[in-house]
Amino acid sequence: MPQPSAPRKNLGRPPRISREEIVEAARRIVTEAGVDRLTMRRLATEVGSTPMALYHHVRDKEELLVLLLDDYATRTLRRPELPADPRERIVVATTAIHEALAACPWIVEVLTADDLMSTSALWFVEQIVDGLVECGLSPEQAVHGYRAIWYYTAGEIVVRTTAARRRADDARATYREQVFADLDPNELPRLAQVADRWAPLTAQDTYLDGLRALVDGLLAGH
């Protein structure tokens, strides 16, 4: 008597996935392993699908990073109450962006891709550009001013976060500390004068002071 055949394995389409599930899985990967570990293949494995299926929802990794940025901004960026003074509006809007981005451990790596921007952050960009125009800059000058403010803000986050990671991963003296310990005061008198205080001084949070100085410089003469 012939034995009943084993049930056939269903080789149909992989489970249907949503863009929200993809973004959530991508967020888990970058939070746990970093942006460089985020690949379409790993993401597909995470959601139990195939890389080809993911491309129905996202064009490539860059679009995925934009979606992650927008997701993060939507969840964390809160529109502050803005002061009437346009100069202060610039500072308040920029500080809100800085605080939100600095709190995200993986955002630094994404920030280096300059063209990646969250649509949820555009309201803040609008306040900065509008404040610069109200202070006397032309729209074109205001765009350049915004870029200077953005580079300062993103750069501060990159440098501070990378330095903190370096100190956490390696307790040995940095190359700078080794060099500063042996400065020649005859050749570099000012640096030698502050060499033993350089590390604590540069570790201080002076972002807001620097931002105000930058804004004052951009608006000088207007």
Side-chain angles (χ1 to χ4, degrees):
M1 182 175 181
Q3 296 294 320
S5 59
R8 297 183 63 182
K9 203 171 191 178
N10 188 357
L11 299 177
R13 295 180 178 178
R16 188 180 295 266
I17 53 176
S18 67
R19 176 174 283 200
E20 290 73 21
E21 290 173 310
I22 292 172
V23 171
E24 182 179 350
R27 185 170 67 244
R28 286 198 301 270
I29 293 173
V30 297
T31 300
E32 296 169 4
V35 174
D36 60 330
R37 300 296 184 185
L38 176 62
T39 65
M40 300 302 274
R41 182 177 297 278
R42 177 168 182 172
L43 182 58
T45 301
E46 184 78 13
V47 297
S49 185
T50 65
M52 188 59 66
L54 297 183
Y55 290 116
H56 292 296
H57 299 277
V58 291
R59 184 176 61 251
D60 49 29
K61 181 177 177 178
E62 183 168 288
E63 183 180 10
L64 182 58
L65 290 175
V66 171
L67 290 174
L68 278 174
L69 278 174
D70 200 51
D71 171 70
Y72 180 77
T74 300
R75 290 183 296 105
T76 61
L77 270 179
R78 298 291 176 263
R79 297 184 180 185
E81 185 173 340
L82 297 175
D85 178 52
R87 185 183 299 249
E88 282 303 303
R89 285 210 309 272
I90 297 167
V91 172
V92 170
T94 306
T95 302
I97 294 177
H98 178 267
E99 290 177 352
L101 297 183
C104 182
W106 54 265
I107 206 74
V108 173
E109 298 171 72
V110 181
L111 288 177
T112 58
D114 180 59
D115 287 334
L116 299 185
M117 176 180 288
S118 163
T119 55
S120 299
L122 290 180
W123 180 86
F124 295 83
V125 178
E126 168 73 17
Q127 308 314 312
I128 296 168
V129 173
D130 180 65
L132 292 169
V133 171
E134 283 200 35
C135 286
L137 271 61
S138 69
E140 294 77 15
Q141 291 172 325
V143 171
H144 294 313
Y146 160 73
R147 298 300 288 170
I149 291 170
W150 170 242
Y151 286 146
Y152 167 66
T153 299
E156 194 274 345
I157 295 173
V158 169
V159 172
R160 182 165 51 82
T161 305
T162 304
R165 184 183 303 158
R166 161 68 174 80
R167 289 192 295 269
D169 293 342
D170 192 343
R172 294 176 301 173
T174 63
Y175 177 72
R176 187 208 66 219
E177 290 168 341
Q178 295 173 31
V179 171
F180 271 45
D182 196 30
L183 288 180
D184 183 351
N186 294 316
E187 182 181 1
L188 303 167
R190 293 301 183 193
L191 291 181
Q193 183 181 19
V194 295
D196 60 338
R197 291 174 290 146
W198 188 272
L201 285 173
T202 55
Q204 291 177 6
D205 183 2
T206 58
Y207 170 76
L208 187 56
D209 293 336
L211 175 61
R212 290 189 181 279
L214 176 56
V215 172
D216 288 345
L218 290 170
L219 299 179
H222 293 278

